[in-house]
Amino acid sequence: KSAKYFDLHLVKRTSDKAHLSALGASNFHVWSHGVYSPLFHPPDAFADSYRYPVSFVGTCMDDRVDLVEYLLMNHIDLHVFGTHWNKRSSLPKRYPGNFHRPVRGKAYADVVRQSQVCLGLVSKSNKDEWTMRTYEVPGCSSVLLAERTPKHEKLFNEGEEAEFFSDKEECLHKLKV
């Protein structure tokens, strides 16, 4: 009800503009993220090995359980840091060594730096085309393996700056190559 009373709406996605317009809002600025370099930066010294071959930092939502289960069942050493995995799936009980407590701030940036590959999963229920990890993973010099979206394809040259996948089979293939 209050949307029409704000002078400016800072939005993440174009679908937000349509939704807020229907509520009477009229002035929008689409926000893109960046990298907060004091926190998200390359490691001080590059290691020959990584603590986490593949990591994902995020909430258990949308169809993420299916992808994570598929990768784990196909012997990908994926480490998951986030909330609601114990409540919404049996995966932490079946793969206890691959699930960790949520990480935030410096601990989150450290996980990204210690990962060879970081999955960049977008929220389909929010109609996202990017996440903060879209920027933070490359900022830490880790490999971003992200869901293929128009925004990701606009930001990065696939095969050079990031890798993309459209389904769990393609994700697995890219992780095994």
Side-chain angles (χ1 to χ4, degrees), residues 136-155:
E136 295 161 349
V137 171
C140 289
S141 294
S142 294
V143 174
L144 175 66
L145 176 56
E147 291 180 276
R148 187 174 281 108
T149 68
K151 182 70 171 185
H152 283 152
E153 291 179 313
K154 182 179 177 184
L155 289 171

